[in-house]
Structures are given as C-alpha cells and as structure tokens.
Amino acid sequence: MSKINLPNKLTVLRMCLVPVVMLFILYPSLTGNNSVLYGIIPALLFIITAITDFIDGKIARKYNLITDFGKFMDPVADKFMVIGTLMSITFANASLRPYLVWVTIIVIFRELAITSIRLVVSGEGIVVAANWLGKCKTMTQSIAIVVFLIEHLLWDYYYLSYVGLVATAVLTLWSGFNYIKEYWKYIDPTK
C-alpha cells in the first residue's frame, strides 16, 4: 500500500473526529451532565474538523497531491461532518428540535441530490466542481453549527442560532437548486 499523503491524512482525521464530536454533543443528553465543557469541547473539535476541510484541499491543489482516494473521501467526510453534527444537535436539543429536524432534512436531501447528479454526469465525463455558492453553503453550515454549540453557554436564548438555521436552510436550498438547474440538461429520462 502506498504512503498516504498529508491532505488524505487530514481527510481521514476529519472522518475520525466526527463520531467524537457527536459523542460530546450527545453526552449531556444521555447522562444529564451539563458541564460547560460539553459545549466547548464539541465546538472546538468541530472547528478543527472544519479547518481540516479547508486545509486539505488547499494543500492538495497547491502541491498537486490530488488522488482518487481524496476525490472520494473528502466529500464523504464533509457530509459526515455536517450531517452527523446536525443529527446529534437535533437529538440533544428538544426545544429547537422541530426547526433542527427540517434544516437537517433539507441538508440531507440536498446532499443526496447533488451527489446523485455528480454520479450521473461523471458517466458523461463531466466533473461537477464546487462553485462559490456551494462553498458559501458549507461555510454557513459550519458557522451555524459552531454558533449553535456555543450560544447556549453565553445566554439562555438562541437568537443567533435561529438566524444560522435560516441562513443554512436558504443557502442549502439555493445552492442545491443552482446545481440542479446547471446540470439538469445531463439528466436524460430516456436513458
């Protein structure tokens, strides 16, 4: 087996951190231990996972370290990071669960739709690269998750989290529709 390069190591690290973040989010709900650490630790770990997402792509492109493993695992790790964290937050927060469920469903459906489009058009030799709207969507999701994880530590309400949830839903839908509109011409119902 060949030696794994740094961007791929960062992707694997991100994949390994996702269940740890989820565990720290869920721990207070499962045990009743509401220590401030269980708000700070998952937020810090999520920030680290988000930074690895940013860094691994930069390093891979700058040093021409793009591999098939990275092309496959990087988007999988990204989806696990956001969806796993959102699912944990949804389970752990009863007061905002109705809103979180809808945002989580929107994120999951969008990711499934765009991944499916990528699979179909790749058969035509077309690469669906991330565009600026997709990157804004990812950044908004990450910021909203971090805000949600720390806001309740600062005060007893979730005003910024509501804004983050709305922004996440809007940008997730917008970027999804944008991809569908751009690549719909390659979805041939007669094939």
Side-chain angles (χ1 to χ4, degrees):
M1 177 183 256
S2 63
K3 188 175 177 183
I4 189 167
N5 66 32
L6 180 59
N8 289 340
K9 286 179 183 175
L10 291 171
T11 298
V12 170
L13 173 64
R14 186 161 68 257
M15 289 286 288
C16 293
L17 284 174
V18 170
V20 177
V21 172
M22 293 172 68
L23 180 65
F24 275 101
I25 292 169
L26 294 171
Y27 186 79
S29 298
L30 299 173
T31 64
N33 183 345
N34 290 322
S35 169
V36 170
L37 284 177
Y38 294 109
I40 294 171
I41 291 172
L44 290 174
L45 288 173
F46 185 85
I47 290 168
I48 291 167
T49 62
I51 289 170
T52 65
D53 180 28
F54 175 75
I55 293 173
D56 68 0
K58 289 278 188 200
I59 293 170
R61 285 185 295 279
K62 183 174 182 179
Y63 296 104
N64 196 25
L65 296 172
I66 297 169
T67 64
D68 289 339
F69 177 86
K71 287 180 199 175
F72 172 72
M73 286 306 293
D74 184 64
V76 169
D78 297 346
K79 271 86 176 138
F80 281 5
M81 179 180 76
V82 171
I83 293 170
T85 305
L86 280 174
M87 288 173 53
S88 299
I89 290 170
T90 301
F91 178 83
N93 192 301
S95 64
L96 291 179
R97 192 170 295 141
Y99 309 106
L100 287 163
V101 164
W102 284 108
V103 171
T104 303
I105 289 170
I106 288 169
V107 169
I108 291 170
F109 281 8
R110 185 263 186 211
E111 297 306 336
L112 288 172
I114 302 312
T115 299
S116 298
I117 285 175
R118 282 190 166 115
L119 286 172
V120 170
V121 302
S122 69
E124 303 290 325
I126 299 163
V127 175
V128 180
N131 62 23
W132 68 272
L133 194 52
K135 291 177 183 183
C136 287
K137 178 262 319 173
T138 301
M139 182 169 287
T140 301
Q141 289 173 344
S142 296
I143 291 169
I145 287 169
V146 171
V147 166
F148 194 88
L149 290 171
I150 61 172
E151 185 173 28
H152 73 281
L153 301 173
L154 304 174
W155 41 74
D156 291 333
Y157 46 84
Y158 286 95
Y159 295 133
L160 294 175
S161 295
Y162 281 117
V163 171
L165 289 173
V166 170
T168 293
V170 168
L171 277 169
T172 300
L173 287 168
W174 184 15
S175 70
F177 286 131
N178 187 56
Y179 276 113
I180 290 169
K181 185 178 97 179
E182 187 172 341
Y183 292 97
W184 188 254
K185 59 190 170 204
Y186 299 105
I187 311 298
D188 185 352
T190 63
K191 286 187 178 179

